[in-house]
Amino acid sequence: MHRVLITDNLSPAGLRVLEETDGIEVDVRSGLSPEQVREALHEADGIIIRSGTKLTPELLAGQPRLKVIVRAGVGVDNIDLAAATREGIVVMNTPAGNTTSTAEHTIAMMMALSRNIGPASQSMREGRWDRKKYTGTQLAGKTVGVMGLGRIGQSVARRCRGLEMTVLGYDPFISEEKAAEQGIELYRDLDEMITKVDYLTVHTPLTDETRGVINAARIATMRQGVRIINCARGGIVDENDLADAIESGHVAGAALDVYSSEPPPEDSRLRSLPQVLCTPHLGASTDEAQEQVALEAAEIITAYLLRGEIRYAVNMAPIAASELEAVRPYLDLAHRLGLLLSQLNKSHAISKADLLFRGDAASKPAKLMLNAFTSGLLSGALEESPNIINAEMLARERGIELTESTSSELGAFSTMIAATVHTDQGELTAAGTMFGNEFLRLVRLDNYQMDAYLDGLMLLYRHRDVPGLIGAIGTVFGKHQVNISHMALGREKNEPGGDAIAVLNLDNEPSQAAMDEVQAHPDVTGVQLVKLPEAGAPLPWL
């Protein structure tokens, strides 16, 4: 049974989905202090939050049971993503649920700002009739700049076109073809776009790169009388610089739904300026949006906990349940190669790991396979628990360079994953393949070709390829009641008498006395015991 903790208000429709799903136990607790949230997380497999709960590094540290965080909404700035990733917790949001509501609120704010609806309404309540004082400006024929062309930005752009506005858009990732389809004049340079607009509306996430991106220097390059709208995240527009520009008359007005501190302080200059229209973070506050994001959050978290499906992840590559089933054997193979190389390299510092995906493996998600391999490579060496989410971060924090390459050429096998680790004592390489979707094989170790089962107990011994050695090793294990289930041999050169390696798959673990006796044979040059998961064992982080 998977327990889902909910610490913010969630629509009853979303709660109903969770409560009616077999295998899910719902724990609703609102109004918790940070310390109470931390304690509650000890017993949770997943958590759904909105904007009220802040998940800090202190709350996320030491939560071995917690696997997933779902934000019922778009913004995840109340979640420390670096801390969640380091702890191996996948973070997902619900980007589609409030798109329409936020886009509509942006347009409502733009129109209300242009027609002075807020102050005009207030003057009516105060008994005045100030028709001339509140003359506005129309939107038709004006130029709007949309900063960020994600779902909400595109939705705003479509509505602006319907209002007969000229739409410019800034986004470093959207294709020119996609922008052109929607009638957006695309800019790759924000500084170039903002000089041409009568209205600027921002729709980017809050990151280190976007914090304060609309500041005094950029505002100074905008047209006299520009109007600025922010219904995205507080902090993208520098609030002090904006207030200065409004007071100076360079900016005609601003409409704000979000603030760098929420609620903003009572002495905030922006709140007191008559040219500023403020609402209390209402972008997603419609009945429809609240129900939609709750349903989406419930579906996302149950899909992950019950089927391993990853949708809308913000700290790893997303993967659908059907795709996960197809790629699972490849993740398993990569993970086992990492475990193998980790145990074969117990005492040397690793500086780099190179992965090659050949044949069918080249068509699978390379980043996922790289993380699966790295989680195995780092297992047992760190206090943290490496998994498919945090492994790359943990490796890079320790100065381990990770590279991956692909080749569609089949070679000797229809699929192959080869990994080489670079240490202060040299290199170590292992390669594996699969027969069907079940049988994983070790086919290469350094320069030795072989066919060994990549599961369970594996005894590897390096030796001189001389007659009688295999029988001697078998006799030793027979004497110590160790059963050999499979044996694979690899020669450095395809001829007798040289260096060789053998891999024995064992049914039970040999005693130290048995290991010592094998090591003592004059033709044996090294012995290592490797412990891998049994064949078909589930991946540890799914």
Side-chain angles (χ1 to χ4, degrees):
M1 184 72 71
H2 300 284
R3 178 176 291 179
V4 175
L5 176 66
I6 301 172
T7 54
D8 294 324
N9 291 332
L10 198 69
S11 165
L15 289 175
R16 191 158 51 247
V17 168
L18 292 168
E19 291 166 349
E20 293 176 355
T21 300
D22 292 338
I24 297 295
E25 177 186 352
V26 184
D27 182 11
V28 180
R29 299 194 226 177
S30 57
L32 299 182
S33 68
E35 182 56 35
Q36 289 172 323
V37 172
R38 175 173 171 75
E39 290 301 315
L41 286 174
H42 290 325
E43 305 300 323
D45 298 288
I47 181 172
I48 296 176
I49 64 170
R50 294 186 59 208
S51 57
T53 299
K54 297 189 183 302
L55 296 178
T56 63
E58 292 75 23
L59 267 62
L60 295 175
Q63 302 289 356
R65 183 169 172 178
L66 185 63
K67 304 178 186 69
V68 56
I69 299 166
V70 175
R71 165 72 160 88
V74 177
V76 292
D77 45 295
N78 55 328
I79 304 168
D80 192 297
L81 292 180
T85 303
R86 187 173 292 106
E87 298 295 330
I89 304 165
V90 63
V91 180
M92 295 180 273
N93 64 358
T94 58
N98 58 11
T99 297
T100 299
S101 292
T102 303
E104 286 183 354
H105 192 69
T106 300
I107 297 299
M109 294 284 274
M110 190 183 300
M111 298 184 79
L113 177 66
S114 299
R115 301 306 299 268
N116 299 306
I117 288 174
S121 176
Q122 181 63 31
S123 74
M124 289 286 290
R125 278 194 292 270
E126 294 170 355
R128 299 196 303 276
W129 183 261
D130 295 326
R131 288 188 66 194
K132 294 183 178 180
K133 183 177 181 180
Y134 296 116
T135 300
T137 183
Q138 68 180 24
L139 297 181
K142 300 298 191 301
T143 298
V144 59
V146 183
M147 178 183 160
L149 294 171
R151 286 182 176 84
I152 295 174
Q154 291 181 42
S155 187
V156 168
R158 287 194 296 272
R159 286 160 173 77
C160 288
R161 286 190 62 212
L163 294 170
E164 301 178 19
M165 302 182 78
T166 298
V167 181
L168 313 184
Y170 163 76
D171 194 289
F173 303 111
I174 192 173
S175 70
E176 293 184 5
E177 293 77 13
K178 180 72 170 178
E181 285 175 7
Q182 302 183 64
I184 301 170
E185 185 180 336
L186 183 62
Y187 286 78
R188 301 297 190 191
D189 186 339
L190 177 63
D191 291 317
E192 183 182 0
M193 184 190 76
I194 61 177
T195 64
K196 306 177 186 303
V197 303
D198 303 300
Y199 292 81
L200 177 69
T201 177
V202 299
H203 299 285
T204 67
L206 181 65
T207 66
D208 290 340
E209 289 74 26
T210 62
R211 190 181 303 276
V213 69
I214 304 302
N215 51 32
R218 283 198 165 97
I219 292 172
T221 69
M222 297 182 193
R223 291 175 175 174
Q224 179 82 18
V226 68
R227 291 173 171 82
I228 296 174
I229 299 94
N230 185 6
C231 294
R233 309 306 295 176
I236 297 172
V237 180
D238 187 293
E239 293 171 2
N240 286 327
D241 291 354
L242 178 60
D244 290 342
I246 292 172
E247 290 175 344
S248 73
H250 184 73
V251 172
L256 306 175
D257 186 47
V258 291
Y259 312 89
S260 56
S261 175
E262 295 189 355
E266 292 185 6
D267 60 354
S268 165
R269 282 194 293 159
L270 288 172
R271 289 179 63 164
S272 63
L273 289 172
Q275 303 96 321
V276 179
L277 178 65
C278 295
T279 54
H281 205 147
L282 299 179
S285 294
T286 64
D287 292 338
E288 295 85 352
Q290 295 310 302
E291 180 169 309
Q292 187 59 39
V293 297
L295 288 169
E296 213 175 343
E299 291 166 358
I300 286 170
I301 203 166
T302 55
Y304 178 78
L305 291 174
L306 299 179
R307 300 188 298 278
E309 181 174 349
I310 301 169
R311 302 185 215 164
Y312 306 125
V314 296
N315 64 341
M316 72 168 293
I319 183 166
S322 57
E323 186 183 9
L324 178 63
E325 284 306 309
V327 80
R328 191 188 299 266
Y330 299 86
L331 299 181
D332 196 7
L333 177 59
H335 181 62
R336 288 168 186 261
L337 289 173
L339 289 170
L340 174 68
L341 290 174
S342 173
Q343 294 176 57
L344 294 180
N345 178 67
K346 289 184 177 180
S347 58
H348 303 309
I350 298 173
S351 60
K352 185 180 179 183
D354 301 319
L355 268 77
L356 169 64
F357 305 111
R358 185 185 289 276
D360 291 344
S363 65
K364 307 304 178 185
K367 188 64 68 176
L368 289 179
M369 293 186 290
L370 177 67
N371 267 14
F373 166 80
T374 308
S375 70
L377 184 66
L378 299 181
S379 65
L382 306 179
E383 292 181 2
E384 300 96 330
S385 298
N387 62 23
I388 200 169
I389 299 158
N390 65 4
E392 183 178 2
M393 171 184 279
L394 294 176
R396 297 196 190 282
E397 285 181 346
R398 285 152 180 81
I400 301 174
E401 181 183 353
L402 301 172
T403 68
E404 79 262 5
S405 58
T406 60
S407 173
S408 58
E409 295 180 6
L410 297 181
F413 302 98
S414 62
T415 192
M416 189 183 74
I417 300 176
T420 299
V421 294
H422 303 258
T423 77
D424 53 0
Q425 296 297 314
E427 299 178 1
L428 185 62
T429 297
T433 189
M434 63 181 70
F435 299 145
N437 286 330
E438 302 177 46
F439 305 109
L440 306 182
R441 295 288 192 269
L442 176 67
V443 295
R444 179 185 165 201
L445 194 60
D446 290 335
N447 295 324
Y448 301 96
Q449 308 294 326
M450 63 191 64
D451 179 15
Y453 294 166
L454 200 54
D455 56 66
L457 292 169
M458 301 172 65
L459 184 88
L460 291 80
Y461 68 89
R462 297 174 185 266
H463 60 281
R464 285 180 287 275
D465 187 20
V466 297
L469 181 59
I470 294 175
I473 300 300
T475 299
V476 170
F477 282 140
K479 182 173 70 173
H480 289 276
Q481 301 299 305
V482 178
N483 197 52
I484 301 171
S485 62
H486 185 264
M487 183 175 189
L489 297 174
R491 292 171 170 176
E492 189 170 24
K493 299 177 180 178
N494 192 23
E495 56 186 40
D499 292 331
I501 189 169
V503 179
L504 305 182
N505 294 96
L506 307 177
D507 287 334
N508 52 306
E509 186 171 350
S511 65
Q512 188 59 51
M515 294 285 289
D516 291 342
E517 194 168 340
V518 171
Q519 179 68 70
H521 194 286
D523 292 311
V524 172
T525 57
V527 179
Q528 286 178 284
L529 184 67
V530 172
K531 298 179 181 179
L532 297 184
E534 295 298 326
L539 290 164
W541 11 259
L542 291 178

